[in-house]
């Protein structure tokens, strides 16, 4: 599983490290199914700037975003979302990452978008349009459309070299955005991790994130 994922996502990480992290993750999930965390059915989101591309950091919309407008609130879905939150919490506890979220490709009235299902960290936008135009400045969308992982361990250097970058939180120094694949190797979502330190996403941390990427598609809704 590890080698297949790494090949699809075009990531240079030790498959042995990923396999070891996958074993630890599976043990953690098996030991916490009786008491799952609560699902965040609604959450505060930032105001968007002109054109809807950039968030206005520090300014929140009055009305919370309601996940129930996009997914069912039945018991089956609730259990899946709770397991996704369990994975989020596990990643945070193991890595001390400053922001981490799980997104699923979703059809909405506005077209195909990435929908945030579970996360940890500061408020952020809940939906990303899955369009080539938006991908020009969004790692999330670029990864979702290309199915290839992106790891930026120094955002400042990346921008100075001419890279396009969608800034949600100006404190972010490193980002890892990785695809999620279904059983037919189609990209069905992404995970996004952000850190306030440069060079945060080393081999060990990436191995853990990739192990999660292998398990997460089983719990998408």
């Amino acid at each position: 599983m590890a080698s297949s994922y790494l090949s699809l996502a075009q990531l240079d990480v030790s498959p042995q490290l990923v396999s070891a992290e996958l074993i630890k993750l599976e043990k953690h999930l098996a030991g916490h199914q009786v008491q799952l965390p609560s699902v965040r059915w609604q959450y505060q989101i930032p105001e968007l700037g002109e054109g809807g591309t950039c968030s206005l950091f520090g300014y929140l919309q009055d009305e919370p975003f309601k996940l129930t407008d996009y997914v069912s609130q039945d018991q089956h879905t609730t259990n899946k979302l709770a397991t996704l939150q369990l994975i989020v919490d596990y990643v945070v506890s193991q890595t001390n990452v400053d922001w981490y979220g799980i997104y699923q490709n979703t059809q909405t009235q506005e077209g195909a978008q990435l929908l945030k299902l579970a996360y940890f960290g500061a408020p952020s936008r809940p939906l990303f349009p899955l369009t080539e135009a938006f991908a020009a400045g969004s790692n999330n969308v670029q990864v979702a459309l290309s199915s290839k992982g992106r790891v930026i361990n120094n955002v400042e250097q990346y921008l100075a070299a001419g890279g396009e970058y969608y800034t949600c939180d100006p404190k972010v120094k490193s980002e890892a955005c990785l695809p999620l694949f279904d059983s037919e190797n189609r990209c069905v979502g992404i995970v996004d991790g952000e850190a306030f330190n440069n060079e945060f996403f080393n081999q060990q941390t990436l191995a853990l994130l990739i192990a999660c990427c292998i398990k997460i598609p089983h719990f998408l809704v």
Side-chain angles (χ1 to χ4, degrees):
M1 288 186 289
S3 295
S4 176
Y5 179 91
L6 292 167
S7 176
L8 288 168
Q10 295 188 4
L11 293 167
D12 184 17
V13 178
S14 165
Q16 290 77 21
L17 277 179
V18 175
S19 296
E21 291 296 336
L22 185 57
I23 291 171
K24 289 191 287 186
L25 173 62
E26 289 175 337
K27 287 182 179 178
H28 182 79
L29 295 179
H32 290 77
Q33 286 300 309
V34 174
Q35 189 170 4
L36 290 169
S38 299
V39 174
R40 196 179 309 190
W41 290 106
Q42 61 181 30
Y43 46 80
Q44 295 299 126
I45 59 174
E47 294 281 0
L48 297 181
E50 186 176 354
T53 301
C54 295
S55 298
L56 297 177
F57 188 73
Y59 296 89
L60 299 178
Q61 295 185 20
D62 292 333
E63 291 295 321
F65 177 80
K66 296 179 181 178
L67 192 57
T68 48
D69 289 343
Y70 298 88
V71 301
S72 171
Q73 203 171 356
D74 59 47
Q75 191 60 53
H76 182 66
T77 301
T78 299
N79 288 342
K80 284 190 170 186
L81 290 173
T83 303
L84 292 180
Q85 190 61 51
L86 179 62
I87 293 174
V88 169
D89 295 344
Y90 177 75
V91 168
V92 174
S93 70
Q94 295 298 303
T95 68
N96 290 318
V97 70
D98 294 288
W99 202 96
Y100 179 76
I102 298 172
Y103 298 78
Q104 177 175 313
N105 295 2
T106 303
Q107 284 294 332
T108 71
Q109 293 181 345
E110 292 76 30
Q113 301 198 63
L114 281 173
L115 169 67
K116 186 170 65 179
L117 297 179
Y119 76 101
F120 165 85
S124 64
R125 66 182 302 149
L127 294 163
F128 288 83
L130 284 170
T131 65
E132 292 292 345
F134 204 89
S138 168
N139 280 329
N140 287 2
V141 176
Q142 191 170 129
V143 169
L145 294 182
S146 70
S147 303
K148 312 305 179 190
R150 285 178 59 84
V151 180
I152 300 172
N153 264 319
N154 191 314
V155 170
E156 186 177 2
Q157 286 184 2
Y158 179 76
L159 288 171
E164 295 286 345
Y165 192 77
Y166 167 80
T167 300
C168 178
D169 187 337
K171 296 191 294 295
V172 172
K173 304 297 183 184
S174 302
E175 180 175 13
C177 191
L178 310 177
L180 301 171
F181 299 109
D182 66 10
S183 59
E184 297 181 4
N185 295 332
R186 297 173 300 193
C187 184
V188 291
I190 61 108
V191 301
D192 185 33
E194 298 175 346
F196 298 161
N197 300 313
N198 290 325
E199 307 303 326
F200 182 87
F201 296 101
N202 56 29
Q203 283 271 307
Q204 192 67 53
T205 302
L206 285 172
L208 170 58
L209 295 186
I210 292 165
C212 293
C213 287
I214 293 172
K215 294 299 294 185
I216 286 170
H218 299 286
F219 305 107
L220 294 180
V221 298

